[in-house]
Amino acid sequence: MAVQQAVGQDPYFPANGDPRYRVHRYELTLDYRPGPNRLAGTARINAIAGRAALTEFQLNLADFRIGRVRVDGRQPHYTHRGGRLRVRPAKPIRAGAAFTVEVHWSGNPKPVPSPWGELGWEELEDGALVASQPIGAPSWYPCNDRPADKASYLISVTTPSAYAVVAGGRLLTRTTKASTTTWVYEQSAPTSSYLVGLAIGKYQTVLLGDPGPGGVPQHGHIPAQLLPEFSRDFARQPAMMELFQELFGPYPFDEYAVAVTEEELDVPVEAQGLSLFGANHVDGARGSERLVAHELAHQWFGNCVSIADWRHIWLNEGFAKYAEWLWSERSGGRGAQQLAAAAHQLLSTQPQDLRLADPGRKLMFDDRLYQRGGLAVHAVRCALGDDAFFLMVRSWVRLHRNGVVTTQAFTAHVARFAEEPLDALFEAWVYGAKLPPLPTLTATGGTA
């Protein structure tokens, strides 16, 4: 938690998040009616002040009607405009003190605008979906919306009984009263606000594989008509889980779920313990299998080990991209070297003005960041050799489990596993913009 406290304002989204405090736990009680797209919610937020007394603080929350705000049971002064709920407690909160915020809100949830389109709560033809990366979380609940502020969650959602509710974490209870059902999920692992996923729809639930004693429960939630295609497209996910646990270390959460909507999504989206796919990603021919691997890998890289701020997004996407290549390599497809060569060829035809270490907000989701990120990870593998590389990766996940990291922390970590300094490698691949030569694995895993 000390690392989180030290992280300042996110340079890409200075209006999101408040580094003057951190949240320990969110308890969200929601009532959602799909027909009128009506959401009413109560949030109980347990937080801890930073190194200075808090005379005021802010939460991010979109355009809802605020019914009530309390700080430690007392009514504060507050304003709510421009997606910011600014709160001034009746008396200052002393440095390092724990405090509780209660917020009641209601309205018609909708996505928040961003440079990449609308993000967050999306009303579907028959249900709803939440895909928040990077700044969509305030579209449905009040939060300290910064990736470094990770908290546990208890989420209760009441909705008409015809609908299922899927959230990341463990389903504690499902209680039906009259025509509504309340679903209660617990996510005990520290979670960034943008990684709190939710899907509400008419789903059929299936078990993916047999986890066995000590295994990871994996469930799919899909429209019934897509079940035959889904059963083929996701059939190898349990094998992916086994491989990634071998390569990256134990799966970091209690369970893993995937939800497929009846509508199309541009890309799948990861949440903590949950990945969200569109109907277009289910074709019965494993046409999106690399994306199944990509989203699963994010549970280690991005969700368990999270970035301190959005400048470091390549640490999420580079490893998830490389996990695609590792799955292909180990499951009978093209090897990582072949896929790296294809990515290198593609990048050689495109502008070379992107620096992984700080791509800028405009380019943080550019496909070049994914491809170059995967290549940077491949370059590290080539330099270390397989034994040291995979030892390094498992150690990285173990040391930073449930924490936050930076590019500088990664380069320092890799250096501990290298026989020779790798400053030039990182300067070229991570801090520079020009495309370096293609790194090549030798038969023993070193650089040719």
Side-chain angles (χ1 to χ4, degrees), residues 32 34 121-130 157 159-167 174 181 183 185 198-205 221-225 259-263 276:
Y32 180 64
W121 188 286
E122 183 177 351
E123 180 187 9
L124 304 177
E125 287 186 13
D126 195 17
L129 177 75
V130 172
V157 183
T159 197
S161 295
Y163 295 86
V165 175
V166 182
R174 183 178 65 190
T181 299
W183 306 66
Y185 284 87
L198 191 67
I200 299 172
K202 295 175 180 175
Y203 298 123
Q204 184 167 329
T205 299
H221 306 273
I222 63 274
Q225 70 272 18
V260 179
T261 75
E262 289 185 305
E263 301 183 24
L276 305 167

Side-chain angles (χ1 to χ4, degrees), residues 50-293:
R51 296 190 181 96
L54 283 179
T55 57
E56 66 159 8
F57 60 91
Q58 78 167 35
L59 292 159
N60 292 104
L61 180 63
D63 186 21
F64 290 98
R65 183 178 68 84
I66 303 295
R68 165 177 162 148
V69 179
R70 294 289 186 270
V71 177
D72 290 333
R74 303 179 66 181
Q75 184 173 341
H77 175 76
Y78 69 88
T79 60
H80 181 219
R81 63 174 66 94
R84 299 191 202 188
L85 177 60
R86 298 181 183 274
V87 181
R88 184 179 302 155
K91 68 175 189 176
I93 300 164
R94 74 181 194 283
F99 63 101
T100 301
V101 185
E102 185 180 316
V103 181
H104 296 224
W105 74 101
S106 61
N108 300 107
K110 60 188 179 189
V112 296
S114 83
W116 311 277
E118 296 185 322
L119 303 171
W121 188 286
E122 183 177 351
E123 180 187 9
L124 304 177
E125 287 186 13
D126 195 17
L129 177 75
V130 172
S132 292
Q133 186 174 350
I135 54 170
S139 68
W140 65 290
Y141 75 101
C143 56
N144 191 13
D145 191 31
R146 47 201 296 265
D149 196 8
K150 303 173 70 170
S152 67
Y153 282 79
L154 182 70
I155 303 176
S156 170
V157 183
T158 299
T159 197
S161 295
Y163 295 86
V165 175
V166 182
R170 187 162 56 96
L171 177 63
L172 298 182
T173 62
R174 183 178 65 190
T175 308
T176 298
K177 293 182 179 179
S179 61
T180 64
T181 299
T182 299
W183 306 66
V184 180
Y185 284 87
E186 169 84 30
Q187 177 56 272
S188 57
T191 307
S192 301
S193 52
Y194 82 92
L195 288 171
V196 183
L198 191 67
I200 299 172
K202 295 175 180 175
Y203 298 123
Q204 184 167 329
T205 299
V206 297
L207 181 66
L208 286 163
D210 180 5
V216 179
Q218 300 174 63
H219 291 91
H221 306 273
I222 63 274
Q225 70 272 18
L226 294 177
L227 182 57
E229 293 84 358
F230 176 89
S231 297
R232 175 169 173 77
D233 291 335
F234 285 78
R236 301 209 291 182
Q237 183 179 281
M240 293 178 191
M241 179 70 79
E242 288 187 19
L243 175 64
F244 291 169
Q245 290 194 97
E246 173 196 332
L247 299 181
F248 309 147
Y251 178 73
F253 308 117
D254 293 331
E255 302 182 11
Y256 182 59
V258 293
V260 179
T261 75
E262 289 185 305
E263 301 183 24
E264 294 190 357
L265 300 179
D266 289 341
V267 293
V269 181
E270 78 275 9
Q272 189 139 313
L274 169 69
S275 294
L276 305 167
F277 292 81
N280 51 310
H281 301 122
V282 177
D283 59 9
R286 294 179 179 161
S288 296
E289 189 170 81
R290 71 171 185 84
L291 300 176
V292 177

Side-chain angles (χ1 to χ4, degrees), residues 253-416:
F253 308 117
D254 293 331
E255 302 182 11
Y256 182 59
V258 293
V260 179
T261 75
E262 289 185 305
E263 301 183 24
E264 294 190 357
L265 300 179
D266 289 341
V267 293
V269 181
E270 78 275 9
Q272 189 139 313
L274 169 69
S275 294
L276 305 167
F277 292 81
N280 51 310
H281 301 122
V282 177
D283 59 9
R286 294 179 179 161
S288 296
E289 189 170 81
R290 71 171 185 84
L291 300 176
V292 177
H294 185 105
E295 304 310 327
L296 176 58
H298 271 310
Q299 303 306 318
W300 286 264
F301 307 107
N303 300 6
C304 175
V305 180
S306 303
I307 50 176
D309 63 58
W310 290 106
R311 289 174 297 181
H312 310 287
I313 188 173
W314 83 273
L315 290 170
N316 296 357
E317 302 302 345
F319 270 104
K321 171 59 71 174
Y322 201 63
E324 297 177 27
W325 300 354
L326 291 171
W327 167 249
S328 177
E329 181 171 85
R330 293 289 288 267
S331 64
R334 288 192 291 169
Q337 185 62 48
Q338 292 173 278
L339 292 164
H344 193 274
Q345 173 59 31
L346 177 66
L347 288 173
S348 71
T349 67
Q350 298 177 339
Q352 297 180 25
D353 58 354
L354 182 146
R355 291 176 172 81
L356 289 181
D358 190 0
R361 189 169 80 167
K362 182 178 178 182
L363 297 179
M364 61 184 281
F365 294 115
D366 193 295
D367 185 61
R368 290 174 296 160
L369 180 134
Y370 292 64
Q371 302 290 347
R372 186 175 178 124
L375 279 166
V377 175
H378 186 66
V380 172
R381 180 185 176 189
C382 292
L384 295 182
D386 276 9
D387 289 348
F389 172 77
F390 289 110
L391 184 63
M392 178 276 294
V393 172
R394 289 189 292 272
S395 174
W396 173 249
V397 174
R398 185 179 67 253
L399 288 172
H400 297 286
R401 180 185 179 93
N402 295 329
V404 297
V405 295
T406 63
T407 297
Q408 292 77 12
F410 179 68
T411 59
H413 178 79
V414 172
R416 294 197 285 272

